[in-house]
Amino acid sequence: MSSTAEKIKDVEMEMARTQKNKATMAHLCLLKAKLAKLKREQIEASSGKGGGGGGEGFEVSKSGDCRVGMIGFPSVGKSTLLTKLTGTFSESAGYEFTTLTCIPGVIRYKGAKIQLLDLPGIIEGAKDGKGRGRQVIAVARTCNLILLVLDASKPMTHKKIIERELEGFGIRLNKSPPDITVKKKDRGGITMQTSVNQSQITIETLRTLATEYKIHNAEFILRCDATPDEIIDVIEGNRIYIPCIYVMNMIDKITIEELDILCKVPNYVMVAARQEWNLDELLEKIWDYLKLIRVYTKPKGQIPDYNEPVVLPNDTTSIEEFCNRLHKAILKQFKHALVWGSSVKHNPQKCGKEHKLADEDVIQIVKKI
């Protein structure tokens, strides 16, 4: 493991020494590919030894409709946030590393049950195994949303450090997977098709990256202005794309002028957990970023059950997936469904299992006789 870490350090130092221009682009791409491969080996080696997410306090079973993880440096108020949002007690104090294990709580909001995890504070070098960084980041990979908790009175370099640690573990914050397809072939070498002009990628760059990964025959289809890092991410295939909210805590320590500047930054929410300032906006932002929809069930001849909605992710909203969420046996007896709400033109409307539901729709399942 130490040899892998040393190799990573050597590659990073060589990248820092290399000037960035057209003549060195191919060499830099080769170094980036080597770095990505070494980091993958490091992650696989650590998970093989049980360092990827095991250990006391880290084997938290997934519960509720989705999972939100809080990440940040020690003593930025994560435990206080957990206590205020969920009612679950998490020890907090004026010294660092109060939380040493993963503590779960449940937020009940708009009928949904959102599991909130208070993860131990991470430090610079967490991705390389310092502290319990690898376990913390491995749990973060299983989350539907990350709350990156920061002390508003501390330098903004803290944000960059944590982002770099997560990037090193294959987590991409507030990014979408690049629209790139790689089709491996038996012959023909490396070819490239593009639908938009490429500012950073040339066929020589692609060949350099592909050769490093021992890909000799493949077609790269680029439907976006791709970067070398995005090509590497697609080849690696183990990247996780997670939405992130930057929670600026302890705003009572900064001036109104500083607060006005921070409020204009995208994906930021200003709170003071101890004083319970602006927690309503944080909850609303969490709901928006999770992109959940609520579907209410209606038994025949009765009013809809508005107290216990079925909560679905925004990308799995068909009636078939709704039935599977309730019980897989329902589909065997499924005839059609009656739907009320914004997803239909008429109320009620007879729909098949392929119909896509919208937020706050009401549904009644009609079974075969």
Side-chain angles (χ1 to χ4, degrees):
M1 177 54 64
S2 60
S3 61
T4 306
E6 287 168 7
K7 287 177 185 176
I8 288 173
K9 191 174 181 181
D10 290 341
V11 174
E12 286 176 340
M13 286 175 66
E14 188 174 350
M15 287 176 65
R17 287 195 302 266
T18 306
Q19 291 185 347
K20 294 181 181 179
N21 53 51
K22 286 184 179 180
T24 61
M25 179 59 75
H27 181 60
L28 279 170
C29 289
L30 184 64
L31 292 175
K32 285 181 178 180
K34 282 183 178 177
L35 188 62
K37 287 172 68 178
L38 287 168
K39 286 180 176 179
R40 169 163 46 85
E41 289 172 14
Q42 191 178 48
I43 293 167
E44 287 171 355
S46 67
S47 60
K49 292 179 182 177
E56 183 186 351
F58 280 86
E59 295 176 356
V60 178
S61 60
K62 219 168 184 178
S63 66
D65 300 304
C66 55
R67 171 181 275 196
V68 177
M70 289 191 291
I71 288 183
F73 279 110
S75 296
V76 293
K78 298 187 298 296
S79 299
T80 306
L81 265 175
L82 181 79
T83 303
K84 298 293 184 182
L85 292 174
T86 69
T88 303
F89 176 72
S90 181
E91 186 179 351
S92 59
Y95 51 87
E96 295 188 347
F97 297 107
T98 314
T99 304
L100 299 175
T101 60
C102 178
I103 301 173
V106 176
I107 301 172
R108 297 179 184 273
Y109 189 70
K110 294 188 176 181
K113 295 174 184 175
I114 303 168
Q115 185 182 45
L116 183 65
L117 302 181
D118 177 15
L119 296 165
I122 65 173
I123 56 176
E124 191 169 2
K127 66 179 185 300
D128 302 320
K130 290 185 180 179
R132 300 190 75 174
R134 284 212 194 104
Q135 291 110 314
V136 172
I137 299 174
V139 173
R141 283 176 68 95
T142 68
C143 294
N144 304 102
L145 172 68
I146 287 176
L147 300 184
L148 209 160
V149 186
L150 300 162
D151 186 340
S153 63
K154 296 286 177 67
M156 286 298 103
T157 51
H158 287 191
K159 169 179 172 281
K160 290 291 182 187
I161 291 169
I162 296 174
E163 285 177 339
R164 190 165 63 245
E165 298 301 318
L166 296 175
E167 286 264 336
F169 226 78
I171 296 174
R172 303 290 180 260
L173 300 178
N174 292 331
K175 292 181 181 177
S176 300
D179 197 354
I180 300 169
T181 306
V182 181
K183 293 181 180 179
K184 293 186 180 180
K185 304 181 294 185
D186 295 329
R187 59 179 68 86
I190 302 298
T191 58
M192 178 174 75
Q193 287 188 23
T194 63
S195 57
V196 296
N197 292 328
Q198 300 297 313
S199 60
Q200 298 186 46
I201 298 295
T202 63
I203 188 65
E204 288 77 17
T205 306
L206 270 184
R207 285 173 181 153
T208 302
L209 293 171
T211 303
E212 178 63 26
Y213 281 95
K214 295 180 172 61
I215 299 172
H216 303 295
N217 299 289
E219 181 183 25
F220 287 78
I221 303 169
L222 313 181
R223 302 183 189 89
C224 61
D225 186 7
T227 64
D229 290 322
E230 289 174 338
I231 299 288
I232 291 168
D233 286 351
V234 171
I235 294 173
E236 284 282 343
N238 61 353
R239 304 308 192 226
I240 304 291
Y241 297 85
I242 305 176
C244 174
I245 298 172
Y246 299 94
V247 182
M248 303 301 293
N249 194 19
M250 307 182 191
I251 56 172
D252 52 309
K253 293 182 179 179
I254 61 175
T255 63
I256 295 294
E257 291 76 17
E258 290 171 325
L259 186 62
D260 287 340
I261 293 169
L262 289 173
C263 284
K264 296 174 184 176
V265 183
N267 306 313
Y268 275 36
V269 178
M270 310 295 124
V271 301
R274 199 171 295 279
Q275 290 84 359
E276 299 187 19
W277 292 353
N278 211 30
L279 296 185
D280 290 342
E281 185 186 342
L282 175 59
L283 286 171
E284 189 61 37
K285 201 101 171 179
I286 289 171
W287 178 262
D288 291 342
Y289 275 57
L290 286 171
K291 295 180 180 177
L292 301 173
I293 71 160
R294 295 156 293 172
V295 179
Y296 302 105
T297 55
K298 180 186 181 302
K300 188 176 181 180
Q302 300 179 32
I303 61 171
D305 182 8
Y306 291 110
N307 296 319
E308 291 291 334
V310 177
V311 179
L312 300 170
N314 196 38
D315 55 347
T316 56
T317 61
S318 69
I319 290 176
E320 181 178 2
E321 283 147 346
F322 167 83
C323 292
N324 284 330
R325 191 69 180 260
L326 294 176
H327 200 287
K328 290 183 179 179
I330 293 176
L331 276 177
K332 294 177 182 177
Q333 300 175 296
F334 180 85
K335 185 179 180 184
H336 62 262
L338 297 175
V339 179
W340 294 257
S342 58
S343 70
V344 293
K345 293 181 179 178
H346 314 288
N347 287 307
Q349 183 170 313
K350 189 188 291 186
C351 300
K353 60 185 179 182
E354 296 82 15
H355 177 76
K356 298 288 185 181
L357 298 164
D359 190 30
E360 295 194 288
D361 275 1
V362 175
I363 184 170
Q364 178 183 321
I365 303 294
V366 179
K367 295 181 180 179
K368 297 174 184 175
I369 298 173

